[in-house]
Amino acid sequence: AQSVTQLGSHVSVSEGALVLLRCNYSSSVPPYLFWYVQYPNQGLQLLLKYTSAATLVKGINGFEAEFKKSETSFHLTKPSAHMSDAAEYFCAGLSTGNQFYFGTGTSLTVIP
Amino acid sequence: EAQVTQNPRYLITVTGKKLTVTCSQNMNHEYMSWYRQDPGLGLRQIYYSMNVEVTDKGDVPEGYKVSRKEKRNFPLILESPSPNQTSLYFCASSRGTPSRYEQYFGPGTRLTVT
């Protein structure tokens, strides 16, 4: 079955520290991978997506993710956390049939 | 303003009473989709539609129906709701296949079935 797995349901970082949110995908998931952010009481917003054009993908708000086929990973990073980054983050994959597969989410807390 | 709207935003109902959650987008998008979000499970796709009269099952279609008679609307129908369908529901749309176009999400509908 196609799937994406997010490691760590809760991550805490200090303001200004590196943010690293982990996502691994099953090898059967085609290389359409996404990161979404959900702020409290809101819908999801696209941060970035990988569609095989480049392995390092830059997104909004200073986030980026690197597609590593050898590790079947698509981890999300940001060099310096800001208080406004506190939110829930979802990794997702898209099948060739346009069906989405979401991870279970990682809640990011930023400590002042 | 370009947006995806859902109604109602909050709904409490009883087991077995048919209900419809509406979803409408004003962006002339071809792709529309319904998701449910549950704690610890993330989002799971219920149904999606690539265009008018074209719908496909997602990961968790059991107990739900959809229709796509008009491009802008994609209602979610629960013929006989059960407590395990208590969840937060999101509708989303994109201009075309989400591999190429960004998916825009509605504000969500919180459904409680007692």
Side-chain angles (χ1 to χ4, degrees):
Chain A
Q2 300 175 342
S3 68
V4 291
T5 303
Q6 290 183 243
L7 304 175
S9 58
H10 298 277
V11 170
S12 294
V13 299
S14 298
E15 191 174 14
L18 171 71
V19 176
L20 171 60
L21 304 182
R22 302 176 188 273
C23 173
N24 288 87
Y25 63 92
S26 64
S27 59
S28 60
V29 172
Y32 298 129
L33 294 166
F34 307 77
W35 275 99
Y36 285 88
V37 61
Q38 184 181 33
Y39 298 104
N41 301 312
Q42 295 186 27
L44 277 70
Q45 180 183 1
L46 180 67
L47 272 179
L48 50 83
K49 68 178 180 183
Y50 171 76
T51 57
S52 70
T55 56
L56 184 62
V57 183
K58 293 189 183 299
I60 62 172
N61 301 338
F63 284 94
E64 62 183 34
E66 186 172 7
F67 176 78
K68 290 187 177 180
K69 189 173 182 179
S70 61
E71 299 177 6
T72 61
S73 69
F74 189 57
H75 301 332
L76 181 71
T77 60
K78 182 174 180 178
S80 177
H82 191 272
M83 295 299 294
S84 60
D85 294 327
E88 184 113 24
Y89 292 80
F90 293 94
C91 181
L94 181 70
S95 73
T96 51
N98 289 305
Q99 183 174 349
F100 263 96
Y101 298 90
F102 279 84
T104 52
T106 298
S107 178
L108 176 66
T109 299
V110 182
I111 304 165
Chain B
E1 180 190 354
Q3 60 184 349
V4 179
T5 57
Q6 297 178 225
N7 282 293
R9 294 288 313 280
Y10 302 90
L11 178 61
I12 300 174
T13 190
V14 296
T15 298
K17 185 177 181 182
K18 180 180 179 180
L19 66 92
T20 299
V21 183
T22 64
C23 173
S24 182
Q25 49 89 7
N26 62 359
M27 297 170 279
N28 200 37
H29 283 174
E30 291 188 350
Y31 182 95
M32 296 187 75
S33 182
W34 276 105
Y35 302 88
R36 59 177 290 174
Q37 182 177 15
D38 301 288
L41 297 177
L43 277 82
R44 293 176 292 169
Q45 193 170 36
I46 304 171
Y47 273 97
Y48 60 101
S49 169
M50 284 303 301
N51 214 324
V52 175
E53 302 292 1
V54 179
T55 61
D56 285 289
K57 295 179 180 179
D59 229 10
V60 289
E62 296 79 18
Y64 304 95
K65 284 176 58 177
V66 293
S67 68
R68 188 91 183 273
K69 293 183 170 45
E70 305 168 282
K71 201 170 187 179
R72 63 182 293 129
N73 296 322
F74 191 44
L76 180 69
I77 304 158
L78 284 71
E79 295 269 3
S80 183
S82 62
N84 64 12
Q85 292 178 300
T86 292
S87 187
L88 179 59
Y89 292 87
F90 287 102
C91 180
S93 74
S94 66
R95 183 178 169 189
T97 171
S99 62
R100 290 187 62 193
Y101 301 100
E102 180 172 350
Q103 198 172 194
Y104 294 89
F105 283 77
T109 295
R110 187 167 293 280
L111 172 66
T112 301
V113 183
T114 62

